[in-house]
Amino acid sequence: MTGGALLVCGTASDAGKSLVTAGICRSLARRGVRVAPFKAQNMANNSAVTASGAEIGRAQAMQAAACGIEPEAAMNPVLIKPAGETSSQVLLMGKPYADATARSYQELKASLEAPVLAALDGLRARFDAVICEGAGSPAEINLRARDLANMGLARAADIPVLLVGDIDRGGVFASLVGTLAVLDAEDQRHVAGFLINKFRGDASVLAPGLEMLSGLTGRPTLGVLPWREGLWLDAEDSLALEAPALAPAPPIGADTLDVVVVRLRWMSNFTDVDALAAEPGVGVRYSRSPVDVERADLVVVPGTKATVADLERLRRDGLDVALARRAAAGAPILGICGGYQLLGHRIEDDVESRSGVVNGLGLLPVDTVFDPTKLLRRQAGVAAPTWLGGAAVSGYEIRHGQPRPHAGGAAPGESLLTTAAGAPEGWAHGAVLGTSWHGLLEGDAVRRALLAWVAGERGRSWLPGDTPFAAVRERRLDVLGDLVDEHVDRDALDALLAGGVVDGLPSLDLQRTACSAS
């Protein structure tokens, strides 16, 4: 199986490509296959930092965990981070490469193809199998000419494609057949089979449809994955947040805690709060309601790729007033990265928004100056005892903004963390906390200390759980592997990895609406 590769594409965004890819990775890794994930081009503001200081999509970091390996830049060579309605930051091999609009990015793709293919070739040389994830849908034919992530990658690397459809949305057969049909004959040659995701109901009712799908396309369905609650993990984009929130696990103490995450327009790394939701009796939901913000036990202002733009929207929607009322009432607020920056007094941004000097919300005594050089690194240290119990902590930084004490004089409060090098990080003033570190709440001791402090401030009788968050992640990844093992034809998957593109598959002709041999 040396060097084998498979591309998992979807009929639409959020069809389940990321989780299917992770499940296949987990299934293979548990069988002793040396496997790695790959996504040529990812558009997401949820990202992670590798040990070498490279920034990649969080989905690929999660998929690397499914493989039991460290994430690296080659697993996501191109990362696009939207920073506004028309502009994005483009990273190449984990480092900022260019700022681009939707149109200028199409012109930029020519310079990205070679490093993308080199990254994939490098992984295939080092691993038995590479499970690639597509982007969006291959049916976006207006983007096909310079495609790097879907059929363009399949043809350039000569690898087979597994097409995933979400049956829970309805119209899955039309989506699968239609996606295949709009591809040209050479692209269709790479599509080896289908996988149906999120099925609820009686499989016998679905069976005739699978037979008809095979008859229409000449391709098999390799599996039907059943609907399972709570499978999303380290989602790429906010589409995953449209699903109803899961009910929290029953509390251990007498009370529950209500956590509201302010839903910013350009929200990034919202997976920072996943660990809170893993604690019993803690409900986490996203909202832009001032009422929710005022009433919650804890409000989290998450990271953002457009701090100034999201600050303006907060003010427009009245959330600045709700946050100010919370702070005045001593109700807990936690700002993370961009959320920390907008809670401060002053922002000087000539990098992202190029807005110059902008007044922040004034709830923390810090000023932020944006530096053209992006800071990408992992960190470790110790938390302040008052709010976070003095626990050992770790996290990672992804930012242009550099918070510092407010220029207006001595800053009340104290630093929230101390780095391993002895430097102060973050700030705490009253019940308002801020930090630049993502991933901080994945630490069991610091997360539980934070929630215990919140419970004390809110008069709640809440008690923490005892399951490590790392174990929760592993269990979720095992569930994905179990789904593949139990509901996907593993022999067929192995055959695709070993044999590559299948010869002799028919192609659909849109003009004749019939199946003809290629």
Side-chain angles (χ1 to χ4, degrees):
M1 205 181 280
T2 302
L6 173 69
L7 175 60
V8 178
C9 286
T11 57
S13 292
D14 203 34
K17 298 184 298 291
S18 295
L19 296 184
V20 168
T21 299
I24 294 173
C25 285
R26 190 65 156 193
S27 173
L28 290 169
R30 294 194 302 201
R31 290 192 279 144
V33 178
R34 294 180 302 117
V35 58
F38 179 80
K39 184 159 186 170
Q41 169 195 293
N42 196 349
M43 178 177 281
N45 275 334
N46 263 10
S47 57
V49 176
T50 70
S52 66
E55 184 179 3
I56 66 171
R58 277 209 66 85
Q60 281 62 66
M62 178 267 288
Q63 290 160 358
C67 298
I69 59 177
E70 272 287 317
E72 57 179 278
M75 296 171 183
N76 179 205
V78 177
L79 177 61
I80 305 169
K81 303 192 72 174
E85 295 292 348
T86 59
S87 64
S88 297
Q89 182 182 60
V90 180
L91 295 97
L92 178 62
M93 295 302 290
K95 303 296 181 183
Y97 180 69
D99 292 326
T101 64
R103 183 174 296 277
S104 67
Y105 179 67
Q106 300 308 311
E107 300 168 357
L108 195 64
K109 282 184 177 180
S111 65
L112 301 176
E113 182 177 6
V116 163
L117 293 177
L120 177 56
D121 286 345
L123 291 174
R124 294 181 74 175
R126 291 184 284 126
F127 291 90
D128 299 328
V130 179
I131 308 303
C132 310
E133 179 189 341
S137 166
E140 293 161 354
I141 54 177
N142 56 310
L143 304 177
R144 174 61 187 90
R146 295 173 177 170
D147 174 53
L148 292 172
N150 294 309
M151 305 314 299
L153 178 70
R155 282 172 65 168
D158 196 30
I159 55 179
V161 173
L162 178 64
L163 185 60
V164 178
D166 177 358
I167 196 169
D168 195 55
R169 296 174 182 230
V172 70
F173 295 118
S175 297
L176 292 169
V177 175
T179 297
L180 182 66
V182 298
L183 305 179
D184 67 30
E186 184 57 28
D187 281 355
Q188 289 190 39
R189 187 178 76 85
H190 288 264
V191 179
F194 307 113
L195 189 146
I196 291 179
N197 193 26
K198 304 180 188 177
F199 176 67
R200 318 185 200 210
D202 186 340
S204 66
V205 177
L206 185 64
L210 301 182
E211 293 178 8
M212 295 171 70
L213 179 63
S214 176
L216 284 168
T217 67
R219 289 159 174 82
T221 297
L222 273 62
V224 177
L225 300 182
W227 172 272
R228 292 285 171 84
E229 293 283 358
L231 283 184
W232 69 273
L233 178 68
D234 289 355
E236 292 190 322
D237 55 46
S238 57
L239 280 177
L241 304 183
E242 299 295 343
L246 293 177
I252 296 174
D255 297 328
T256 61
L257 292 177
D258 178 31
V259 178
V260 166
V261 183
V262 179
R263 185 159 186 170
L264 304 176
R265 172 64 180 88
W266 305 108
M267 182 167 53
S268 65
N269 282 61
F270 49 82
T271 48
D272 281 334
V273 300
D274 282 1
L276 294 176
E279 288 290 334
V282 178
V284 177
R285 55 201 173 97
Y286 294 81
S287 178
R288 293 191 64 79
S289 164
V291 174
D292 289 343
V293 167
E294 288 198 49
R295 293 180 178 177
D297 293 311
L298 170 66
V299 168
V300 178
V301 187
T304 168
K305 188 63 182 70
T307 302
V308 171
D310 271 326
L311 177 59
E312 292 173 352
R313 290 173 68 96
L314 283 183
R315 288 192 165 113
R316 185 193 70 191
D317 295 345
L319 290 168
D320 58 332
V321 175
L323 288 166
R325 287 175 177 166
R326 277 193 72 85
I333 300 171
L334 172 64
I336 302 175
C337 197
Y340 170 34
Q341 296 163 15
L342 61 82
L343 290 173
H345 274 267
R346 183 176 181 272
I347 298 169
E348 184 177 336
D349 180 12
D350 294 317
V351 177
E352 280 186 355
S353 68
R354 298 178 176 84
S355 299
V357 176
V358 176
N359 289 327
L361 297 182
L363 303 182
L364 282 175
V366 296
D367 299 332
T368 298
V369 177
F370 278 68
D371 192 297
T373 302
K374 193 172 196 178
L375 187 60
L376 297 167
R377 65 186 177 188
R378 293 182 179 179
Q379 284 277 27
V382 178
T386 304
W387 296 272
L388 302 180
V393 292
S394 62
Y396 57 95
E397 295 174 283
I398 304 173
R399 56 190 173 96
H400 286 282
Q402 308 295 322
R404 58 194 64 176
H406 177 46
E414 64 179 276
S415 60
L416 188 64
L417 311 170
T418 302
T419 71
E425 160 29 52
W427 205 258
H429 174 51
V432 184
L433 317 180
T435 177
S436 295
W437 290 14
H438 296 290
L440 179 70
L441 300 178
E442 294 181 15
D444 299 323
V446 71
R447 177 181 68 257
R448 289 164 184 161
L450 170 70
L451 292 172
W453 169 72
V454 169
E457 293 294 305
R458 302 293 287 176
R460 306 282 190 252
S461 180
W462 175 86
L463 293 174
D466 57 7
T467 303
F469 183 63
V472 174
R473 279 188 184 276
E474 285 297 302
R475 188 165 63 238
R476 289 180 178 178
L477 292 171
D478 277 333
V479 169
L480 297 178
D482 292 344
L483 283 172
V484 170
D485 287 345
E486 295 166 12
H487 300 282
V488 177
D489 186 340
R490 296 195 317 185
D491 291 338
L493 284 179
D494 290 350
L496 290 176
L497 288 168
V501 177
V502 179
D503 292 328
L505 291 174
S507 62
L508 299 186
D509 188 329
L510 277 178
Q511 299 301 315
R512 294 184 297 149
T513 62
C515 199
S516 60
S518 344

